[in-house]
């Protein structure tokens, strides 16, 4: 079979003001460069859309560089090697790499890692076994300094990171696990996953809903949302509580700076620690994460959900829908 000489890819057409819209993206066809020594040619089978990509659509300095107008987007993807001039990679290998948002990618072998798709699907490496999985584990264990007996609250609890945080906390001896999400269906799913209590944050003031769900208070808050969720969590925190600031998705599409939590001074009397983190800081926990969580995945103690969209053409809409909460578990775009 002859090798592809072109790829289809999604480029940034314009920067959003507020929520992204389809016209911020454009599908283009581009010639592929000839494969050089040390490079592999990969046909992507799945790609990830993640909330952090919203920040990269803005022209601001951050921990990852912004996407550029008329240039392809990038992000996590898994694919099959269809040609290799890199040592250690052969045709047919499955690889995880960072050139998503396109059908076919040329990249240095050094920027790809082989993954075993015999026991887990290719998409698992973009979710439960990948960046979101490590984020959940390291954010809970290292950033929030979780210990057995802690009562844990996680927001965005039906999403890729949040659903794992709750399950890892439960399996690690949490005294109570509480989650919030944006629909009745998601709340029901959280109960199936073993959360002790869950609420739909659209049903009332988060502060009141959290107090009902955790009447004795919380020791740990894993924050995926920010805004009123963060303020409510501070209000429900017990002495020596810990907050891992993972994300603030309620603010990603904001066009004005958000208010800080109005009750920050409670941190003093309650001796609360708030720690922001980026998952890459905890790359050294990767092995511990796999060793701890791997058996739970294998024996079914942890389950994970995926919301799957089909085709590169639908990737922009999958991303737009992710930010609006259309996903349960990891939002994936299947390309094969
Ligand atoms: P999710 O799978 O959780 O998807 C995003 C979810 O956010 C949606 O499904 C939606 O669920 C929820 N959401 C959207 N808008 C709001 C809102 N206004 N208020 C409350 N919830 C909202 O994504 P991930 O699991 O990939 O990421 C979760 C968080 O973790 C994000 O904030 C992300 O930026 C952060 N993150 C941080 C990392 C780090 O290194 N610090 C690494 C990876 C992720 P719903 O229907 O419940 O509203």
């Amino acid at each position: 079979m002859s090798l592809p000489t072109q790829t289809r890819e999604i480029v940034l057409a314009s920067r959003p003001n507020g929520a992204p819209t389809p016209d911020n993206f454009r599908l283009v066809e581009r010639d592929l460069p000839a494969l050089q020594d040390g490079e592999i040619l990969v046909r992507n089978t799945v790609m990830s859309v993640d909330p952090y990509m919203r920040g990269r659509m803005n022209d601001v300095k951050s921990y990852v560089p912004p996407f550029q107008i008329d240039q392809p987007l990038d992000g996590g993807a898994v694919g099959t090697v269809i040609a290799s001039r890199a040592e250690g990679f052969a045709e047919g290998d499955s690889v995880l790499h960072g050139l998503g948002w396109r059908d076919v990618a040329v990249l240095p072998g050094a920027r790809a890692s082989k993954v075993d798709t015999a026991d887990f699907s290719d998409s698992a490496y973009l979710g439960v076994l990948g960046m979101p999985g490590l984020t959940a584990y390291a954010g809970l264990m290292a950033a929030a300094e979780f210990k057995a007996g802690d009562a844990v609250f996680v927001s965005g609890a039906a999403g890729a990171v949040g659903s794992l945080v709750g399950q890892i906390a439960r399996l690690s001896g949490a005294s109570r696990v509480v989650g919030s999400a944006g629909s009745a269906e998601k709340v029901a799913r959280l109960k199936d996953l073993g959360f002790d209590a869950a609420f739909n944050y659209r049903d009332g003031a988060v502060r009141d809903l959290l107090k009902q769900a955790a009447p004795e208070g919380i020791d740990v808050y894993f924050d995926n949302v920010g805004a009123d969720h963060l303020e409510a969590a501070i209000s429900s925190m017990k002495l020596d509580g810990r907050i891992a600031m993972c994300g603030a998705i309620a603010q990603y599409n904001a066009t004005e700076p958000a208010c800080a939590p109005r009750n920050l001074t409670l941190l003093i009397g309650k001796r609360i620690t708030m720690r922001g983190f980026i998952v890459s800081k905890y790359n050294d926990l990767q092995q511990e994460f796999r060793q701890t969580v791997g058996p739970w995945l294998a024996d079914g103690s942890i389950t994970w959900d995926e919301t799957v969209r089909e085709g590169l053409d639908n990737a922009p809409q999958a991303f737009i829908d992710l930010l609006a909460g259309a996903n349960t578990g990891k939002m994936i775009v299947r390309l094969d």
Side-chain angles (χ1 to χ4, degrees), residues 51 135 159-161 181-182 186 201 224 246-247 252 277-279 322-323 325 327:
T135 302
V161 173
K186 289 186 180 184
Y201 64 82
N224 286 319
C246 175
Y252 292 173
F277 75 96
I278 294 296
V279 57
L322 166 82
L323 295 175
N327 61 307

Side-chain angles (χ1 to χ4, degrees), residues 12-324:
L12 183 69
S14 57
R15 298 194 187 279
N17 178 29
T21 55
D23 59 348
N24 296 137
F25 305 86
R26 191 170 62 246
L27 180 69
V28 301
E29 282 193 11
R30 187 174 61 86
D31 289 339
L32 286 165
L35 205 60
Q36 304 296 317
D37 278 345
E39 290 184 336
I40 52 178
L41 182 66
V42 179
R43 186 180 296 286
N44 287 335
T45 52
V46 280
M47 58 162 270
S48 184
V49 287
D50 296 278
Y52 78 87
M53 293 169 176
R54 175 62 188 86
R56 297 188 67 190
M57 295 181 84
N58 298 337
D59 192 15
V60 291
K61 202 173 164 208
S62 180
Y63 63 95
V64 267
F67 295 132
Q68 297 300 326
I69 300 286
D70 294 332
Q71 294 300 312
L73 309 189
D74 58 70
V78 174
T80 308
V81 174
I82 49 176
S84 172
R85 290 183 62 180
E87 214 180 297
F89 293 89
E91 218 177 294
D93 285 345
S94 290
V95 288
L96 170 68
H97 63 92
L99 290 186
W101 293 96
R102 68 201 75 194
D103 288 329
V104 183
V106 173
L107 67 147
R111 296 222 189 120
S113 50
K114 282 205 254 187
V115 292
D116 180 359
T117 50
D119 292 331
F120 292 99
S121 64
D122 49 4
S123 55
Y125 294 93
L126 301 177
V128 66
L129 286 173
M131 184 276 280
L134 181 62
T135 302
Y137 181 80
L140 183 66
M141 296 302 172
E145 299 181 24
F146 171 85
K147 51 187 189 320
D150 281 343
V152 175
F153 171 47
V154 55
S155 54
V161 173
S163 60
L164 295 173
V165 170
Q167 294 183 82
I168 294 170
R170 174 175 57 79
L171 291 161
S172 306
S175 59
R176 190 167 181 78
V177 179
V178 176
S180 67
S183 72
E185 293 73 26
K186 289 186 180 184
V187 167
R189 182 63 184 145
L190 294 179
K191 304 263 178 67
D192 293 343
L193 295 179
F195 283 63
D196 298 294
F199 61 85
N200 178 352
Y201 64 82
R202 300 181 206 272
D203 282 348
V206 180
R207 192 188 165 107
D208 300 337
L209 296 166
L210 178 57
K211 284 209 181 344
Q212 283 159 26
E216 291 174 16
I218 54 173
D219 300 287
V220 164
Y221 173 45
F222 193 108
D223 190 14
N224 286 319
V225 168
D228 53 347
H229 273 80
L230 180 55
E231 191 171 288
I234 291 172
S235 174
S236 276
M237 279 259 131
K238 296 202 261 189
L239 269 190
D240 296 316
R242 284 141 283 139
I243 299 173
M245 297 189 67
C246 175
I249 197 160
Q251 291 156 223
Y252 292 173
N253 285 328
T255 47
E256 296 294 328
C259 302
R262 291 162 297 181
N263 55 356
L264 264 184
T265 50
L266 288 179
L267 266 63
I268 303 163
K270 294 193 188 192
R271 307 185 307 229
I272 295 169
T273 306
M274 255 169 107
R275 179 178 287 139
F277 75 96
I278 294 296
V279 57
S280 53
K281 174 188 159 130
Y282 295 121
N283 280 340
D284 58 332
L285 291 181
Q286 184 74 42
Q287 209 184 345
E288 180 187 312
F289 157 62
R290 293 270 173 106
Q291 276 168 358
T292 309
V293 174
W296 287 334
L297 299 176
D299 71 12
S301 308
I302 287 186
T303 50
W304 71 97
D305 295 322
E306 287 178 352
T307 301
V308 183
R309 299 290 173 83
E310 300 288 338
L312 185 66
D313 316 46
N314 293 317
Q317 194 60 50
F319 173 66
I320 291 167
D321 291 349
L322 166 82
L323 295 175

